[in-house]
């Protein structure tokens, strides 16, 4: 499945700790994050200042200064199937440049075609910040055509961009207008209280409480059936854009896709034999 999610909803409302996106690549994607004193994890958005890492397997480097702006880590052992995308553009507080968008797109395309990847965690490797949004210094050097191309590529990568449309759907029209018109800055507790994030955590000594929470969530996803998770995501995403009757029809159509799969039969057999299922995504 393509990535679903984006920076646009909260960025469009000037939230201080820039947001990441939650989505599923193949099966699942989780974002992690934290502010300087607290850590937040959301099913849709979250913040990060954590910078702890795990074994580097693959890296996409910047074309500009040789800095590793995007680090791609494939976890092993009990975390096998989880991939961590670490944004590391410290010189610009992880602001989204044309090059970073290019690298993220390349990494996402690679992960989407890798059937062994079950869940992706997007995190910052720069302490104290997740992402400052678009690189406005670079933006001032773009002509109108370049700006349009940049925004289109960003939307293709993070398809929840569009704060005026998605924010009202998440928190209601009145509150969304209030936030957008005022450009109000929110902290973690405020964001959680209005439903923008799912978890707010006390920061730990390592500064990676949110990453640890995101990793724990990702581990919960690993045993689940890849096919079922894929169609569940499809049903949720499409169902949220239509009325209930149509949404139920979408759900039924999605479930129909699981009926002929080997995974469905394996789930039934595992239940009968009182053992954990061994799903293969088939």
């Amino acid at each position: 499945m393509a990535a679903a999610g984006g920076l646009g909803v909260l960025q469009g409302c000037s939230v201080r700790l820039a947001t990441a996106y939650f989505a599923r690549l193949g099966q699942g994607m989780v974002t992690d994050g934290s502010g300087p004193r607290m850590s937040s994890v959301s099913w849709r958005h979250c913040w990060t200042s954590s910078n702890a890492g795990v074994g580097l397997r693959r890296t996409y480097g910047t074309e500009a200064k040789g800095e590793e702006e995007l680090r791609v880590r494939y976890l092993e052992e009990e975390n096998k199937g989880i991939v961590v995308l670490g944004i590391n553009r410290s010189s610009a507080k992880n602001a989204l440049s044309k090059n970073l968008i290019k690298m993220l797109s390349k990494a996402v395309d690679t992960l989407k075609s890798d059937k062994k990847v079950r869940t992706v965690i997007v995190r910052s490797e720069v302490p104290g910040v997740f992402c400052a949004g678009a690189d406005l210094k670079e933006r001032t050097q773009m002509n109108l055509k370049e700006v349009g191309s940049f925004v289109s590529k960003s939307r293709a990568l993070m398809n929840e961009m569009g704060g005026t449309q998605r924010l009202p759907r998440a928190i209601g029209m009145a509150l969304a207008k209030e936030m957008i018109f005022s450009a109000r800055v929110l902290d973690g507790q405020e964001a959680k209280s209005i439903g923008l994030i799912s978890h707010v955590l006390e920061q730990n000594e390592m500064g990676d409480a949110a990453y640890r929470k995101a990793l724990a969530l990702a581990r919960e996803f690993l045993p689940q059936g890849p096919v079922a998770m894929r169609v569940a995501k499809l049903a949720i995403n499409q169902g949220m854009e239509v009325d209930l009757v149509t949404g139920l029809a979408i759900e039924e159509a999605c479930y129909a896709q699981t009926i002929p799969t080997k995974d469905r039969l394996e789930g039934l057999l595992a239940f009968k034999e009182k053992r954990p299922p061994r799903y293969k995504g088939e």
Side-chain angles (χ1 to χ4, degrees):
M1 284 190 162
L7 297 165
V9 175
L10 293 184
Q11 279 297 101
C13 307
S14 299
V15 173
R16 182 184 300 277
L17 301 175
T19 64
Y21 62 97
F22 170 82
R24 296 185 189 280
L25 293 175
Q27 310 313 325
M29 180 174 247
V30 179
T31 49
D32 84 290
S34 65
R37 292 179 299 278
M38 67 175 58
S39 171
S40 321
V41 177
S42 171
W43 292 115
R44 293 186 303 277
H45 311 92
C46 49
W47 308 313
T48 186
S49 66
S50 54
N51 61 354
V54 278
L56 180 64
R57 282 271 304 274
R58 192 175 302 169
T59 298
Y60 296 89
T62 175
E63 298 172 353
K65 299 180 180 179
E67 181 185 20
E68 295 175 351
E69 292 189 352
L70 184 67
R71 298 171 178 173
V72 183
R73 296 180 172 89
Y74 290 68
L75 306 192
E76 299 292 347
E77 299 177 352
E78 73 273 14
N79 298 320
K80 190 171 184 179
I82 301 174
V83 177
V84 179
L85 297 183
I87 304 175
N88 185 46
R89 194 170 182 239
S90 59
S91 59
K93 295 184 178 180
N94 287 347
L96 295 173
S97 63
K98 290 188 293 185
N99 186 57
L100 183 55
I101 287 292
K102 179 181 178 181
M103 290 190 292
L104 282 166
S105 297
K106 183 177 179 180
V108 167
D109 286 342
T110 299
L111 295 174
K112 283 161 59 177
S113 61
D114 189 342
K115 293 183 179 180
K116 295 181 180 179
V117 176
R118 295 295 308 277
T119 301
V120 177
I121 298 175
V122 179
R123 67 175 302 192
S124 170
E125 299 199 358
V126 178
V129 65
F130 180 79
C131 173
D135 189 330
L136 298 183
K137 289 183 179 180
E138 183 183 70
R139 182 77 67 88
T140 61
Q141 305 300 315
M142 298 181 190
N143 58 40
L144 293 179
K145 183 178 180 180
E146 289 175 321
V147 170
S149 175
F150 176 80
V151 172
S152 296
K153 290 178 180 178
S154 299
R155 285 183 180 274
L157 177 65
M158 299 167 289
N159 63 8
E160 275 191 6
M161 291 182 67
T164 62
Q165 299 305 304
R166 298 198 178 270
L167 189 62
R169 287 169 168 81
I171 66 175
M173 183 184 298
L175 188 53
K177 286 182 177 179
E178 181 180 323
M179 290 179 59
I180 291 172
F181 296 166
S182 67
R184 181 176 301 151
V185 174
L186 301 181
D187 62 22
Q189 292 291 352
E190 291 173 317
K192 187 175 188 299
S193 70
I194 63 174
L196 282 178
I197 62 174
S198 301
H199 304 276
V200 177
L201 311 170
E202 289 295 329
Q203 188 56 282
N204 60 24
E205 293 182 0
M206 296 293 295
D208 66 349
Y211 171 67
R212 296 300 166 185
K213 178 64 175 180
L215 189 60
L217 290 171
R219 288 192 187 112
E220 290 186 48
F221 300 159
L222 289 179
Q224 312 309 321
V227 175
M229 291 182 68
R230 189 160 56 241
V231 297
K233 179 203 171 183
L234 181 64
I236 293 169
N237 287 353
Q238 293 191 358
M240 288 297 293
E241 305 299 327
V242 298
D243 60 87
L244 178 59
V245 173
T246 305
L248 290 171
I250 292 173
E251 179 185 74
E252 184 176 356
C254 287
Y255 177 68
Q257 297 180 39
T258 70
I259 294 177
T261 64
K262 295 179 181 178
D263 275 5
R264 185 183 74 89
L265 297 177
E266 166 60 18
L268 294 173
L269 184 61
F271 178 79
K272 179 181 178 181
E273 296 178 353
K274 295 181 171 50
R275 60 170 175 80
R278 296 184 288 270
Y279 296 120
K280 298 181 179 179
E282 300 175 353

